[in-house]
Amino acid sequence: MCGIVGIWAAKLPLAQREERVRAMLSACIDRGPDGSRILSSGDLTVGFCRLAIVGEREGESQPLESSRAIGAINGEIYNHLALRTMLGQSCDARLSDSIVLLPLAEAQPEAFLARLDGIFAGFVFDRMQRTLTLFRDHIGVKPMYYNTQGEERVFGSTVAAVVAGMTNPTFSQRGILRYLLDGYPATTMPLIEGVKAVLPGSLVRFAHPESHPVERRWFSLARPGHSHKSIRELLLDAVESEIPTGWPTVSALSGGIDSTLITLLLHRAGAQPTALTVKYDTPESGAEADLAVARRVATDHGIGHHEVHVSREDYAEEIARGWRFDQPIADPNAIAFHRMAAVARQLGSRVLFTGDGADELFAGYTYHQQAAGALPRALAQSWLGTSMTSTQDRRFLRELTGSRVRHRIHPSFGEPLRAVQTRDLREWLEPNLLAKLDRFGMAAGVEARVPFLRPALVQAAFALSRRDRVDGSRTKVALRNQFADVLPSHVLDRAKVGFPSPLSDWLRGPLGRDLATLAKDSVAGMWDPSRERVLWQQHITGERDWGQQLWRVAVLRSWDHSLRR
């Protein structure tokens, strides 16, 4: 878990490149407090900061160098020992998993990424071919961004780092409107003009600092061949191989099927996990039912359990101190997850397991039942997409900015449920849920691990028949069937619920009144502050419920102020 930055610029003097790279590293230092290094070669300067999990004693070994290439990788390569054996390298556990990167890239420049089983993002610069390749893992757990304007190629693990390396960055009004609608930046519609994300399962290659990039997908959701392993075997393998060596095992436990299953599999594997559950310091939060289930699971199985107390003051503090999570992600539970990651760190761990990804892969949402139902309704569901955006969101955007946003239509003529799940991965899981885990976990010095999202498991899930995903009112059929002996009946039979948050109620009290006083300007002049003040007043008095939408505005404003410091 690290931060990577770089500038490839033929016309920029070395001293200026290194100065800007140092500024870029400072912008993502949360990603790597255990060591940093800057390396220059020709007209390329790269920087790296590291949070040590594997190979702690090699904290300053990246960026990597060979006679042919320079490279760095952020994340975890779970099959690095097998790859080292194949490459004839030492299997000393003190060595970083990253040492497999350059030998693989040099031997198989077009296919090396498919060899990596893990969560990662990085770059390889081929000194001989003079090409720069940026890449990202199969599902987008780890981030990588780059700029597309001017004569310099600036890239990094965070948007803030890339902006720190650019000259005169400007806001994208289209990106901001989309953010206000969804509550998180879209992968394909950045908030800063000229800054793009490497897409999940893709690579981007530059032949020259001023050239247009060539983009190519290296991962396919469709499984290329038949696997003899079941969903059960694949998940068991994933959980066991991700248990950290030398760190306590900590797992998020919400009381739902997914987090309960991961926690219990860690327990069965002998990892002695400690489970963490959020407890909002508000009786009316709606999360008490989740907490009661989590307590029962932990007690019944003899698992250590900590309740992570989250208060209104935690949210007020993060807004007031300036947004430090790279991008404005306004998920109401994001700061609660950050508090959970901080507790994991206090317990001595640098890793936090979660159950994210199971709903998207195995079809766990209510609208998946509609997409699996009668054809006319199923087809309509698949064409309209799966954005969590509501009529309320569109109305708020119109009231705030005067902009009208139409429904996004995605014509699809394949299986409706599969089309919906594919968009779930691309438009919801990756830009919102996985970005939340990465940014809010990294800010606490903790890596979120997501066993459900291993490449083989993703492909196996996408090969399931419709009835193995949804059968009538029963969702996640394959997961329920294959782990019926592991999951308690009171968890298996529990109806799907979201993650309730008291944020909307908090915004009717002192927190909301304080944030309303900040409505004196707007981001990039995109709305009249007087219109925002009216919306705050409507929410605070209870005339309307704009809680989630106004939180997006507050987060965006805090992010804007932090970016301009």
Side-chain angles (χ1 to χ4, degrees):
M1 191 161 57
C2 321
I4 296 170
V5 301
I7 298 177
W8 190 22
K11 300 177 182 179
L12 191 65
L14 173 62
Q16 292 183 34
R17 284 205 317 270
E18 291 188 341
E19 180 181 0
R20 282 164 61 178
V21 164
R22 278 192 289 272
M24 293 169 70
L25 279 177
S26 296
C28 64
I29 195 63
D30 280 346
R31 300 190 71 86
D34 294 328
S36 64
R37 183 183 179 212
I38 292 176
L39 174 67
S40 293
S41 176
D43 45 18
L44 174 74
T45 298
V46 292
F48 184 86
C49 55
R50 183 168 192 254
L51 176 68
I53 295 178
V54 176
E56 182 182 6
R57 299 183 188 179
E58 300 295 320
E60 295 185 354
S61 61
Q62 294 199 68
L64 303 156
E65 282 189 277
S66 72
S67 60
R68 176 173 172 175
I70 298 172
I73 191 166
N74 157 39
E76 301 297 330
I77 303 172
Y78 298 122
N79 64 334
H80 67 98
L81 291 177
L83 292 174
R84 287 193 214 175
T85 300
M86 181 190 78
L87 294 166
Q89 294 180 328
S90 167
C91 290
D92 187 338
R94 295 173 298 177
L95 297 175
S96 169
D97 54 343
S98 64
I99 65 172
V100 303
L101 174 62
L102 293 188
L104 276 177
E106 292 169 10
Q108 303 177 359
E110 300 303 321
F112 74 98
L113 292 170
R115 291 274 190 176
L116 304 179
D117 182 1
I119 51 176
F120 53 82
F123 80 93
V124 172
F125 181 75
D126 190 315
R127 299 181 200 251
M128 298 175 64
Q129 299 293 329
R130 304 296 297 170
T131 58
L132 172 67
T133 302
L134 309 177
F135 57 84
R136 198 169 175 206
D137 66 59
H138 62 293
I139 209 73
V141 179
K142 294 300 175 184
M144 178 59 69
Y145 300 93
Y146 62 98
N147 81 321
T148 58
Q149 297 178 339
E151 300 176 341
E152 305 162 358
R153 286 297 152 256
V154 180
F155 59 94
S157 297
T158 67
V159 171
V162 174
V163 169
M166 295 172 61
T167 56
N168 302 318
T170 58
F171 289 115
S172 164
Q173 293 200 352
R174 289 180 67 240
I176 290 174
L177 284 175
R178 177 72 177 268
Y179 160 80
L180 290 170
L181 192 66
D182 293 341
Y184 54 90
T187 306
T188 57
M189 199 176 294
L191 302 184
I192 304 294
E193 292 286 357
V195 175
K196 294 186 68 175
V198 177
L199 298 178
S202 298
L203 61 81
V204 174
R205 184 165 290 154
F206 294 92
H208 187 272
E210 300 178 34
S211 67
H212 291 290
V214 175
E215 301 180 56
R216 180 172 68 81
R217 288 196 63 81
W218 63 267
F219 180 79
S220 172
L221 292 172
R223 188 163 47 175
H226 179 70
S227 172
H228 296 290
K229 288 192 173 183
S230 65
I231 296 294
R232 183 185 179 103
E233 291 172 312
L234 290 169
L235 184 57
L236 288 172
D237 289 348
V239 169
E240 291 177 7
S241 64
E242 294 185 25
I243 296 172
T245 301
W247 306 102
T249 300
V250 184
S251 178
L253 178 61
S254 69
I257 287 178
D258 312 327
S259 65
T260 300
L261 181 55
I262 295 300
T263 301
L264 292 180
L265 291 181
L266 287 167
H267 179 63
R268 286 189 167 207
Q272 298 181 317
T274 297
L276 304 181
T277 306
V278 167
K279 177 179 173 56
Y280 286 106
D281 290 346
T282 303
E284 299 80 20
S285 69
E288 292 303 308
D290 289 342
L291 185 58
V293 173
R295 286 170 177 162
R296 181 176 173 184
V297 168
T299 301
D300 289 350
H301 293 84
I303 295 172
H305 188 222
H306 285 247
E307 296 176 7
V308 179
H309 290 258
V310 179
S311 68
R312 179 187 65 202
E313 287 70 28
D314 292 318
Y315 281 64
E317 178 185 345
E318 291 299 347
I319 285 286
R321 71 187 295 179
W323 203 246
R324 59 195 179 101
F325 304 107
D326 185 42
Q327 293 211 77
I329 298 171
D331 184 316
N333 292 293
I335 290 175
F337 177 77
H338 172 65
R339 288 285 300 117
M340 186 184 294
V343 171
R345 181 77 184 214
Q346 292 166 11
L347 292 171
S349 186
R350 298 191 174 191
V351 170
L352 176 60
F353 284 84
T354 82
D356 287 86
D359 281 321
E360 292 75 17
L361 288 181
F362 296 99
Y365 294 121
T366 301
Y367 58 75
H368 288 150
Q369 298 175 36
Q370 300 169 0
L375 190 58
R377 188 174 184 181
L379 199 59
Q381 179 68 43
S382 70
W383 279 43
L384 286 175
T386 61
S387 169
M388 301 296 180
T389 303
S390 65
T391 302
Q392 173 92 337
D393 296 318
R394 291 183 171 82
R395 184 178 296 118
F396 176 84
L397 188 64
R398 186 170 64 249
E399 295 288 337
L400 178 67
T401 69
S403 300
R404 293 177 179 270
V405 180
R406 297 178 179 177
H407 284 277
R408 296 190 289 273
I409 305 297
H410 308 272
S412 171
F413 298 97
E415 182 201 277
L417 177 57
R418 180 63 69 221
V420 168
Q421 288 182 269
T422 301
R423 277 196 300 278
D424 282 348
L425 295 180
R426 294 173 180 169
E427 296 184 4
W428 173 251
L429 178 70
E430 182 268 327
N432 184 35
L433 302 185
L434 296 183
K436 175 184 73 175
L437 296 184
D438 179 79
R439 307 315 190 276
F440 288 77
M442 290 298 298
V446 169
E447 176 181 84
R449 291 196 172 173
V450 281
F452 280 115
L453 294 177
R454 292 287 283 275
L457 193 51
V458 169
Q459 291 173 328
F462 261 66
L464 290 171
S465 69
R466 181 179 61 79
R467 290 204 171 188
D468 279 332
R469 287 169 282 148
V470 177
D471 189 2
S473 62
R474 195 164 180 253
T475 58
K476 289 193 279 199
V477 175
L479 207 60
R480 294 174 190 271
N481 288 348
Q482 295 195 34
F483 290 97
D485 64 320
V486 177
L487 289 163
S489 59
H490 68 95
V491 174
L492 265 175
D493 299 336
R494 191 173 179 226
K496 170 71 178 175
V497 294
F499 296 100
S501 162
L503 179 59
S504 189
D505 289 337
W506 286 344
L507 292 179
R508 288 198 166 101
L511 176 59
R513 290 192 291 272
D514 289 346
L515 293 176
T517 65
L518 302 178
K520 300 173 182 176
D521 57 9
S522 70
V523 176
M526 290 195 59
W527 64 85
D528 182 344
S530 66
R531 299 179 75 157
E532 180 188 346
R533 290 194 290 271
V534 169
L535 295 169
W536 275 111
Q537 183 64 19
Q538 289 176 350
H539 181 76
I540 290 170
T541 61
E543 179 184 346
R544 300 293 296 272
D545 186 357
W546 298 122
Q548 288 199 25
Q549 293 78 20
L550 285 168
W551 181 244
R552 295 170 189 173
V553 174
V555 168
L556 183 67
R557 179 175 283 116
S558 181
W559 171 77
D560 174 35
H561 290 170
S562 298
L563 204 63
R564 291 191 283 113
R565 283 178 181 173

